[in-house]
Amino acid sequence: NPKIKQRLIEQGQQRAIANKKKREPASDKKRRMMMTFKKLQQEKKRASRIQRPLGFDERAPLTAYFPGMEVTGTVISMTKFGVYVDVGTECDGLLHISQITRDFFVEHPRQVLSPGDEVTVKVRSVSPELKKMQLTMLNVEDEERDDEDDEPRISLKEIEIDDELWGVLKRVTDYGAYVEVGAEVDGFLHFMDHPSWDDGSHPSEFMERGQRVRVWVSDV
């Protein structure tokens, strides 16, 4: 029936007009979506919080901890420069990224650790007055290697381009290796400047920590 068909068309048009009027403004929609996003982020943050093993009234004072002491703790949070570990005292200890391992280059702590992980660490330093604690996962040999050699370091002003130096590879990365040459700072040997480099090979295939190498200065 043409009349019924026309009436249905008109009713559909009227509903479309009414729905258009009900549509929320773009600014309101954006605000609602932002509120929903923030709520989801807050819920995600609450869900990711790690349960601490002890209440704050059950914790030992920082004065009970000393350098070299081995303790077990829980990774509470992480940053680009390290992780904070709850070892049962009045403040979390900082495990710096450089103190996690020397077996390979750690670009971010999440490569090795995750919040909630249980770790065994040693106290590097502690200050009850400042409420600070530094931790390490390195073994004694690595620590001694860091502390050894109290001889005067070579000033960068004394080093010139093309100088020949002997050094030891300290740390291998995806781009090359840091070389201890007795200077104020370590040198960096790019993998393409190594005679054993072959296209497609990783630096760890021809560079190894502890190797003694002869290098020439290309830039200071």
Side-chain angles (χ1 to χ4, degrees):
N1 191 320
K3 290 185 179 179
I4 295 176
K5 185 177 181 180
Q6 182 62 31
R7 189 166 65 249
L8 290 173
I9 292 174
E10 290 175 356
Q11 288 175 351
Q13 290 175 338
Q14 289 172 358
R15 282 196 300 270
I17 293 171
N19 289 335
K20 187 175 181 180
K21 289 180 179 178
K22 289 180 181 178
R23 256 178 227 160
E24 64 180 327
S27 58
D28 291 345
K29 184 177 181 181
K30 184 178 180 181
R31 188 178 303 110
R32 179 173 58 81
M33 292 180 69
M34 285 299 297
M35 292 296 292
T36 302
F37 175 75
K38 287 182 179 179
K39 185 178 179 181
L40 289 173
Q41 288 293 94
Q42 289 173 350
E43 291 175 355
K44 183 178 178 182
K45 188 174 182 180
R46 281 196 294 269
S48 66
R49 285 178 183 164
I50 305 303
Q51 187 69 34
R52 292 180 180 271
L54 294 173
F56 284 97
D57 57 342
E58 304 174 87
R59 296 172 173 274
L62 274 174
T63 51
Y65 293 76
F66 53 87
M69 181 179 179
E70 186 173 279
V71 292
T72 300
T74 302
V75 176
I76 297 298
S77 61
M78 58 176 54
T79 67
K80 292 181 180 179
F81 56 81
V83 301
Y84 286 96
V85 182
D86 183 348
V87 294
T89 186
E90 51 195 295
C91 69
D92 294 335
L94 173 61
L95 175 62
H96 193 269
I97 190 171
S98 65
Q99 297 298 312
I100 296 175
T101 181
R102 289 295 167 80
D103 294 335
F104 56 89
F105 176 67
V106 180
E107 186 175 350
H108 193 285
R110 63 170 169 262
Q111 294 174 247
V112 184
L113 301 168
S114 300
D117 284 354
E118 185 175 290
V119 292
T120 299
V121 294
K122 289 182 179 179
V123 178
R124 288 194 77 205
S125 63
V126 59
S127 174
E129 297 80 15
L130 299 177
K131 302 294 183 187
K132 288 185 178 181
M133 176 186 283
Q134 301 281 341
L135 306 171
T136 182
M137 289 179 68
L138 301 182
N139 57 40
V140 176
E141 289 154 4
D142 285 333
E143 284 288 294
E144 288 177 350
R145 191 177 289 112
D146 284 344
D147 296 335
E148 70 184 9
D149 193 8
D150 294 328
E151 297 177 5
R153 314 299 287 177
I154 302 172
S155 169
L156 291 181
K157 295 179 181 179
E158 301 175 25
I159 298 176
E160 299 181 354
I161 303 298
D162 292 330
D163 276 357
E164 179 182 331
L165 302 170
W166 282 91
V168 176
L169 301 188
K170 290 189 66 178
R171 187 172 57 178
V172 179
T173 75
D174 291 337
Y175 306 100
Y178 289 94
V179 186
E180 163 62 59
V181 293
E184 295 172 325
V185 296
D186 292 338
F188 186 76
L189 176 62
H190 194 274
F191 67 88
M192 294 182 69
D193 293 323
H194 195 287
S196 298
W197 176 70
D198 189 20
D199 190 21
S201 58
H202 190 273
S204 60
E205 296 178 32
F206 52 88
M207 291 180 172
E208 185 178 348
R209 183 167 172 261
Q211 282 181 340
R212 185 167 173 78
V213 292
R214 182 174 61 170
V215 294
W216 286 264
V217 179
S218 62
D219 191 18
V220 180

